[in-house]
Amino acid sequence: MLVLPAVAGLAFLVLPLAGLLIRAPWATLPQRLAEPQVLEALRLSLVCATAATVVCVLCGVPLAWLLARVEFPGRRVVRALVTVPLVLPPVVGGVALLLVLGRRGLVGQWLESAFGITLPFTTLGVIVAEAFVAMPFLVISVEGALRAADRRFEEAAATLGASRWTVFRRVTLPLIMPGVMAGAVLCWARALGEFGATITFAGNFPGTTRTMPLAVYLALETDPDAAIVLSLVLLAVSVVVLASLRDRWVNSP
């Protein structure tokens, strides 16, 4: 009885992707992929998604450890706030970033006056927007790994005289590394496909903030074949990364 709805669900997810492959302009694909604007958008997407993932790892792993291992008042509220970007419309996230980090924002005006740093409509703004929407994927994955890890190893290391930092670096981190890598891969894939917060907070400027999703949106209005080609590039990169890296770390003994 479960086979039919399972097949229906699989078809619902796979058929749109198959439509891209069927309608792709294969005859002109090499020429379109070699166009400067395509290569520039792809380069910017890869650089920004990687930088956003690094930011998420540096901030998200300690945040996940705090939520998993430290008891403090309001922890459930903090966990809910951390996961809000998962369900928040990306455009709303972009508006929120503008209100806080814009030139007249709560923090943005101070950054500009004190350090001359302007985030909106810059490449750095793209990284900030992508990190904002992608970090919850990493935090949830790492928190789950921390809760599933056997704490007896950490306790044994502590009884042998290891400091808290040594225990975390030499025991905890290796135990949860598959979860960290899986979360980082999901975080990178989410950052690569981010659109709403990016276009709202960083704009759509060629060579500066026009990532692949924004290029797809722009091409869809003028050249649908080019939009299909750009979509195929994003699809191929995402599938390769998720199929190789995530399986390698999650299924490792």
Side-chain angles (χ1 to χ4, degrees), residues 16 33 103 123 198 202:
L33 289 177
R103 292 182 177 179
T123 303
T198 301

Side-chain angles (χ1 to χ4, degrees), residues 43-217:
R43 182 199 66 81
L44 185 63
S45 294
L46 295 177
V47 170
C48 291
T50 302
T53 302
V54 172
V55 173
C56 292
V57 170
L58 293 177
C59 299
V61 172
L63 178 57
W65 177 86
L66 182 70
L67 294 174
R69 296 295 175 82
V70 180
E71 295 283 349
F72 60 90
R75 186 171 65 168
R76 292 184 178 180
V77 176
V78 173
R79 183 180 292 111
L81 292 175
V82 168
T83 56
V84 162
L86 287 176
V87 297
L88 190 70
V91 174
V92 177
V95 173
L97 289 173
L98 276 176
L99 294 177
V100 175
L101 299 176
R103 292 182 177 179
R104 297 183 180 180
L106 299 176
V107 179
Q109 59 181 351
W110 173 75
L111 289 175
E112 186 175 14
S113 61
F115 304 101
I117 298 176
T118 302
L119 294 178
F121 310 109
T122 63
T123 303
L124 187 58
V126 176
I127 298 173
V128 171
E130 292 180 351
F132 175 77
V133 300
M135 189 180 296
F137 289 89
L138 180 84
V139 174
I140 291 175
S141 179
V142 175
E143 184 183 359
L146 283 166
R147 292 185 179 276
D150 193 343
R151 301 189 64 174
R152 291 178 296 178
F153 296 102
E154 298 172 312
E155 294 170 356
T159 57
L160 293 175
S163 64
R164 292 184 177 181
W165 171 244
T166 302
V167 171
F168 177 79
R169 182 171 55 89
R170 301 293 295 274
V171 179
T172 307
L173 198 57
L175 283 175
I176 65 171
M177 186 55 66
V180 174
M181 295 306 301
V185 169
L186 292 174
C187 180
W188 186 88
R190 178 64 183 89
L192 186 68
E194 169 52 32
F195 172 80
T198 301
I199 196 171
T200 305
F201 182 65
N204 185 13
F205 300 104
T208 304
T209 64
R210 181 176 295 173
T211 57
M212 289 291 286
L214 274 64
V216 170
Y217 176 77

